[in-house]
Amino acid sequence: MLITSASELEGIQKISEAVATTLKQMRDFAKAGMTAKELDDFGGEILNSLGAKSAPKLTYGFPGWTCICVNHEVAHGIPSAGKVLKDGDLINIDVSAELDGFWSDNGGSFILGDDTNNHQKLVNASKNILHKAIYRIRSGEKVSDIGRLIEVEARKAGYRVIKNLAGHGVGRSLHEDPHEILNWCDHDNKQRFRKNTVVAIETFISTASTIAEKGKDGWTLLGNKGGYVAQHEHTILVTDGKPVILTAVNGIWD
């Protein structure tokens, strides 16, 4: 989306704050013994109270208000009643929604309780790489160069990236141009970031897998070589200088 007026900026700021607030409150609410459905229903209540509509439900008929992944799940995890959260789990929550014709997207991985399974290093790498990638983005920057940065930084930290999941433009719909802000350098992608456009930037940092494959439930994505994946995502406004982090209140960098 290209922001062309103050009212458009206000609209994207409002929905971005809604999804960011929902993500933060869901993360704070999560506890061992809770089901993913209970956590998701809590998130749905927040979205509804803010007047926002779940993007996965609205766009795809997804069976949940939000996507919740646990441990080996990579993305699009169904928040089912049979998925019970445990201390030490690697959890990812992805919240996207629509409000008054504007759409925004954000997500984050975290450890529930104590880091008994030693996932914090992976989570920290994902957070730090997203920070570096976002603050590299400005008008005129090549989309492929951001992918190169993410992959190089992942390798430096001892990890890989998921190559078939990507960030994307957002604003008037959930997925807009540019459709593939990849976690690796696609030399054929000649696109550049444009001033005043809105994009969702996300990392998919992996311990083993490089491809996400659809699981038996038809929704949940799993790594082709197993292992674990941490994801973090912000919706931002591209400028000539530092980007505006529209979903900053989610606190994923805190």
Side-chain angles (χ1 to χ4, degrees), residues 42-219:
F42 175 76
E45 290 174 2
I46 299 169
L47 289 174
N48 288 334
S49 72
L50 297 171
K53 297 177 182 177
S54 163
K57 276 185 176 290
L58 199 58
T59 307
Y60 305 112
F62 181 74
W65 303 100
T66 68
C67 299
I68 299 177
C69 293
V70 179
N71 293 327
H72 298 289
E73 297 171 339
V74 175
H76 305 164
I78 296 175
S80 67
K83 191 183 292 185
V84 180
L85 309 183
K86 302 184 297 296
D87 194 62
D89 279 348
L90 173 63
I91 297 174
N92 177 268
I93 303 174
D94 193 299
V95 182
S96 55
E98 179 273 341
L99 177 61
D100 297 330
F102 296 93
W103 302 65
S104 190
D105 195 356
N106 71 161
S109 296
F110 62 98
I111 311 304
L112 186 63
D114 296 328
D115 185 25
T116 54
N117 299 308
N118 299 314
H119 294 312
Q120 194 62 54
K121 181 174 177 286
L122 173 65
V123 170
N124 290 345
S126 177
K127 288 182 182 182
N128 294 338
I129 293 169
L130 180 67
H131 191 278
K132 289 181 180 180
I134 283 178
Y135 281 99
R136 171 80 175 268
I137 294 172
R138 61 194 63 215
S139 180
E141 185 77 26
K142 289 182 180 179
V143 170
S144 61
D145 282 350
I146 298 305
R148 178 187 289 111
L149 182 155
I150 292 171
E151 186 172 28
V152 167
E153 292 297 327
R155 286 178 178 170
K156 285 180 182 178
Y159 299 113
R160 302 177 179 187
V161 298
I162 299 296
K163 294 195 169 186
N164 62 330
L165 295 176
H168 50 89
V170 67
R172 284 298 189 179
S173 62
L174 182 57
H175 290 96
E176 299 179 347
D177 192 58
H179 290 281
E180 290 194 335
I181 306 173
L182 296 164
N183 279 203
W184 56 281
C185 181
D186 178 5
H187 294 286
D188 293 329
N189 186 350
K190 306 302 182 184
Q191 285 186 299
R192 295 176 183 267
F193 290 99
R194 295 174 59 203
K195 184 179 180 180
N196 293 332
T197 57
V198 181
V199 292
I201 307 297
E202 51 191 320
T203 51
F204 292 95
I205 309 303
S206 170
T207 62
S209 295
T210 55
I211 300 294
E213 301 175 332
K214 190 172 290 185
K216 294 179 180 179
D217 64 19
W219 292 103

Side-chain angles (χ1 to χ4, degrees), residues 2-16:
L2 177 66
I3 299 293
T4 60
S5 67
S7 62
E8 287 180 339
L9 179 58
E10 182 180 356
I12 199 66
Q13 287 174 326
K14 188 175 180 181
I15 181 56
S16 294

Side-chain angles (χ1 to χ4, degrees), residues 18 20-31 34-50 64-66 68 79 85 93 95:
T21 297
T22 302
L23 175 60
K24 184 179 188 304
Q25 291 190 19
M26 287 179 71
R27 188 175 64 240
D28 293 343
F29 184 71
K31 56 181 176 291
M34 176 183 292
T35 69
K37 185 178 187 306
E38 289 174 316
L39 180 57
D40 181 61
D41 285 343
F42 175 76
E45 290 174 2
I46 299 169
L47 289 174
N48 288 334
S49 72
L50 297 171
W65 303 100
T66 68
I68 299 177
L85 309 183
I93 303 174
V95 182

